[in-house]
Amino acid sequence: MRVLIVPMAAMAEIGDLPQIKEVYTNIIEKMNENNIQIWDDIYPCEFFFMNMDLK
């Protein structure tokens, strides 16, 4: 058995939202190409801001 050790990721900040949305847009395009149509241009991208812990 192999164990994958993943370093702790930094928490996103409000300025990261455009890049995060771009990554998810690309993921959604690939999912759609493979007939996995569970996300769209609204979800999950438009909900990232609501999920951020703004301190």
Side-chain angles (χ1 to χ4, degrees), residues 10-40:
M11 296 299 290
E13 297 179 3
I14 196 76
D16 299 324
L17 281 177
Q19 293 168 319
I20 294 169
K21 286 183 179 183
E22 181 179 347
V23 168
Y24 272 82
T25 297
N26 292 332
I27 292 170
I28 292 166
E29 287 175 7
K30 290 295 182 188
M31 290 171 64
N32 288 338
E33 288 172 9
N34 289 289
N35 294 318
I36 305 170
Q37 298 173 340
I38 58 174
W39 290 347
D40 57 28

Side-chain angles (χ1 to χ4, degrees), residues 17 46-53:
L17 281 177
E46 296 303 317
F47 292 86
F48 292 141
F49 179 77
M50 289 187 278
N51 292 328
M52 294 187 81
D53 185 15

